[in-house]
């Protein structure tokens, strides 16, 4: 595990499993909850991806990044996808309990956004920062209003994974010889064109920490009479986000409602109203053959669904901000770290502290329910 300066790792034993966390050397374990920020990564990643933003946060905050089960240094326990992402969110809860943290500001990226929304449904949270989050209605197989297209979630779940990418995870492939290599998937999917970094090897290391053991990534599938011929299974990562198992739109009824920051890239190839990881969109493009058409298999409007739910959240008394960044892909915290950092500090109530400099503001599109 490649750790940056000032970042440390340790294992936390919980009643559920052994969990790896990253912390900053020197952070005070007695830091109060309103100064504690917990980072949750997404699919195909680990806590390693959070190291730069952890380094950059003010030193009177406590920063913790947690490896979800089956990723990084956390135990590779199987995932019961029929619970949605609750295996993940319950693991996070038990980890924070073991650390003596009753509540915190939660930051979730991609699938991790779904994890922190589920966490907020089950436990108190001080704020939610959702970076390119999975739609509140899951990944694949729903109409704009969240209703499911088929009873078996055709085209969603474990069967949607690219077999060659899975094999390259197994082979620990660090090359850039094929479009399906983890390195090229990072370049084409995680970030927008033109992004470069001296840390790419670390990000590839993080992707390669994904467990492909039974019950982890990607998960099982079932045969379907509906196009494209497979439906969601019951175990593994991708099935946790199948709409039959996952729906966190109930956050609109939270009481109290924590403030929400939604930050995402306009050029996101993964979470989008036209996602290149959505079988229905790929069918419409002719990449997957025999697409049955828009009426039967429309692309999932992921970003619009998130906006609809957050607008309803605001209508019912909550507060949220949307920041959409031009020329940014799936990883705003890597691609535009200054804007991400400032927005995060603002939602946790830190902006205005004497040690906090004024933020950069260019290329930010801001939408707010108020």
């Amino acid at each position: 595990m490649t750790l940056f300066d000032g970042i440390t790792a340790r294992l936390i034993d919980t009643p559920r499993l052994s969990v790896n966390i990253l912390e900053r050397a020197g952070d005070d374990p007695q830091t109060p909850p309103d100064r504690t920020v917990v980072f949750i990564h997404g699919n195909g990643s680990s806590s390693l991806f959070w190291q730069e933003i952890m380094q950059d946060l003010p030193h009177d905050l406590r920063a913790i990044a947690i490896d979800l089960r089956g990723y990084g240094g956390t135990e590779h326990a199987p995932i019961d996808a029929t619970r949605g992402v609750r295996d993940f969110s319950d693991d996070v809860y038990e980890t924070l309990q073991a650390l003596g943290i009753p509540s915190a500001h939660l930051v979730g990226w991609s699938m991790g956004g779904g994890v922190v929304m589920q966490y907020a449904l089950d436990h108190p949270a001080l704020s939610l920062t959702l970076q390119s989050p999975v739609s509140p209605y899951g990944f694949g197989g729903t109409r704009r209003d969240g209703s499911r297209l088929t009873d078996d979630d055709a085209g969603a779940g474990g069967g949607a994974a690219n077999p060659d990418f899975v094999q390259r995870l197994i082979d620990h492939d660090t090359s850039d010889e094929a479009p399906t290599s983890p390195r090229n998937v990072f370049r084409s999917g995680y970030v927008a064109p033109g992004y470069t970094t001296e840390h790419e090897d670390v990000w590839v290391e993080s992707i390669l920490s994904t467990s492909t053991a039974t019950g982890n990534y990607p998960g099982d599938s079932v045969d379907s009479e509906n196009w494209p011929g497979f439906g969601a299974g019951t175990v593994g990562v991708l099935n946790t986000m199948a709409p039959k198992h996952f729906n966190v739109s109930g956050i609109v009824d939270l009481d109290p409602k924590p403030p929400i920051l939604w930050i995402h890239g306009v050029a996101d190839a993964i979470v989008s109203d036209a996602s290149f990881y959505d079988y229905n969109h790929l069918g419409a493009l002719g990449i997957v053959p025999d697409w049955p058409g828009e009426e039967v298999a429309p692309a999932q409007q992921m970003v619009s669904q998130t906006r609809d739910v957050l607008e309803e959240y605001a209508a019912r008394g909550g507060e949220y901000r949307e920041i959409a960044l031009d020329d940014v892909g799936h990883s705003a915290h890597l691609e535009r770290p200054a804007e991400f950092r400032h927005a995060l500090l603002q939602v946790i109530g830190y902006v205005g502290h004497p040690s906090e400099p004024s933020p950069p503001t260019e290329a930010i599109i801001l939408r707010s329910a108020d």
Side-chain angles (χ1 to χ4, degrees), residues 109-135:
W109 175 28
S110 195
M111 180 182 75
V115 173
V116 302
M117 284 187 275
Q118 182 62 60
Y119 186 103
L121 286 171
D122 298 332
H123 310 287
L126 299 181
S127 71
L128 304 181
T129 294
L130 309 176
Q131 177 183 242
S132 299
V134 61
S135 162

Side-chain angles (χ1 to χ4, degrees), residues 143-165:
R143 301 176 185 87
R144 171 76 177 261
D145 65 1
S147 58
R148 292 164 59 202
L149 297 175
T150 64
D151 290 338
D152 57 3
D153 292 341
N162 185 299
D164 192 62
F165 173 69

